Amino acid sequence: MKKFHWVRLYLLLLIIALFSVAAFAGIKGYYVIYRKAAIQKAANRSKQGIADTSNLIIARLSKIAKDAGQEQYDRILELIQKESDSELSEGELENYFRMGYANVISDELGADSTGICNSMNSYLSGSGMPNVSVEDEGRTEIYKEKDDSGNVISLHIRNVKICYDDPILGKQSDTVNYNIRFPDAVFHAGSDELFRYCMVARKGIYITGMTSSVIGDIFAGGHSPEECREAEIVYGETGTYGGLNVLSTQLGIRSDTIVCLGDINLNGSFVVFAPNTDQLSCYAQRINEIEGFSKKTDYTLEGEFYPVYAMDEAPLTKYHDAITLTDVSLSQLDEISMYYDSDNDGGYEGKYRKLMSDTDIEIRNDFTGIVATPANVIIDNGVNFEGIILSGDRIYAMGNNNIVANAAVARSVIASELESGYGIMVSDYIGGMRSAGLADPDHYVVPYR
């Protein structure tokens, strides 16, 4: 009996011991699970803290960028409005704007890594976000990417190290870069790219008569053989039709861009092609020298001639860009359904003339402004023109003409329309027109790794 009692006691102690081991193992397992959960929660907290910090930085940088854009836009607008007609092109003004915009942001944030990090930490200090900071490792910078001409093409804040000091995991960090986007700044109404041209004709340009001069870019399209007119046969078109045709005249052309979808036909003429501001790029199928009945043909070209059938990638891209520009610009001319001449409109207060018609236009007297028609334009002998002619068909210059592009004139016509909203607007019939102003990007600041 006594032996049985000890066996029972032994078994009881064994059960207690086994239960204790099991309980200890359960507690240890629970602790491991709890520890893993706590670490995961801390990791999520750290990750979210860094993300929230980055979002706060983005919000503050976006406000700085928006204010910088408006400040720089107003500064340039005030500068160009001091003169009646600014000579600076839209492209030049855009480059000044982007450089100034980047400089204003740089001045606001700081000149070096320490300055930038201090600025960002000042944004965080009043945010109420605990345990976050931007650590200065001497690598944070504002990077202005520039093209070969020194113009700013992109703006970045690089190597921003955001830290979150977690009570469990300690200091956690992530390094983020920010792309600062540029607002769309337009200073001149219209299209400066188009307004470099003095003549744009969908089906070709024909020049004859006494000595003439052309200053500005030229676009001379093409047409089918079936559309050839008897009056054009003497110009010497063969193979391709349209393009630039010069008959029995002395002609000086100063352009940076001449685009012909057909040939350049020079018949019994002396022609000088020269650059207007920088370098002349001339695109055509070919240049044909045709001996006239009583006059020899001779020409000089101070620039680069690019035959359409054998161009490298760079000039071919520019050639197609010019075609796209003119296609867009001429795309709405067919919607002109009336004749309108601002000289006959007593309520028109614009500085320069505008003339539109759904049929042929004949310019009989000196003209400064914009001419637009889906049909032909004839410039009479002895008439001078300044501005831009847009023809959905052909342009004929009859001799002793001075034809000059003037972007300031064209801008003034478009700007007066947009400001007053009065009457029939030529800008409604020219594709690609833009209003002056400042437009925000979808996002001023975009983070990236």
Side-chain angles (χ1 to χ4, degrees), residues 93-252:
L93 291 172
E94 181 180 1
N95 288 332
Y96 291 139
F97 171 80
R98 294 167 77 91
M99 178 63 77
Y101 173 79
N103 289 340
V104 170
I105 293 174
S106 297
D107 292 343
E108 175 70 23
L109 289 179
D112 55 19
S113 180
T114 300
I116 297 168
C117 292
N118 287 342
S119 294
M120 292 187 174
N121 280 316
S122 71
Y123 311 153
L124 302 178
S125 63
S127 68
M129 296 177 60
N131 307 327
V132 294
S133 63
V134 173
E135 186 172 315
D136 178 20
E137 293 185 322
R139 298 172 57 242
T140 307
E141 64 174 351
I142 296 177
Y143 175 69
K144 302 171 188 175
E145 184 183 1
K146 299 181 180 180
D147 62 17
D148 293 339
S149 300
N151 301 313
V152 177
I153 57 176
S154 66
L155 181 64
H156 306 263
I157 302 175
R158 304 197 298 195
N159 303 317
V160 178
K161 185 176 182 180
I162 301 173
C163 298
Y164 183 88
D165 194 3
D166 188 81
I168 293 176
L169 298 180
K171 183 176 287 188
Q172 304 296 300
S173 66
D174 191 13
T175 299
V176 186
N177 306 299
Y178 299 99
N179 175 220
I180 310 298
R181 300 289 176 85
F182 292 83
D184 185 18
V186 179
F187 296 93
H188 297 310
S191 170
D192 261 25
E193 192 174 5
L194 174 66
F195 293 161
R196 297 196 316 265
Y197 289 81
C198 59
M199 292 186 288
V200 177
R202 184 179 281 145
K203 296 184 180 181
I205 295 173
Y206 299 81
I207 301 173
T208 190
M210 298 175 62
T211 301
S212 293
S213 67
V214 174
I215 301 175
D217 292 350
I218 298 170
F219 180 89
H223 61 264
S224 67
E226 291 74 23
E227 295 177 284
C228 189
R229 296 166 178 167
E230 185 175 347
E232 298 166 2
I233 294 174
V234 293
Y235 284 88
E237 293 176 308
T238 57
T240 60
Y241 296 86
L244 177 62
N245 303 274
V246 183
L247 173 65
S248 300
T249 189
Q250 296 185 50
L251 177 64

Side-chain angles (χ1 to χ4, degrees), residues 413-444:
V413 173
I414 303 301
S416 65
E417 289 186 338
L418 297 175
E419 289 168 6
S420 68
Y422 171 81
I424 298 171
M425 299 189 184
V426 70
S427 55
D428 288 341
Y429 303 101
I430 305 175
M433 295 292 97
R434 300 199 298 172
S435 301
L438 189 67
D440 296 331
D442 291 338
H443 302 282
Y444 268 101

Side-chain angles (χ1 to χ4, degrees), residues 280-298:
L280 169 61
S281 296
C282 183
Y283 307 87
Q285 299 290 338
R286 62 187 70 83
I287 299 179
N288 299 319
E289 296 180 72
I290 305 165
E291 295 301 325
F293 177 73
S294 61
K295 296 180 181 179
K296 302 188 80 172
T297 294
D298 193 14

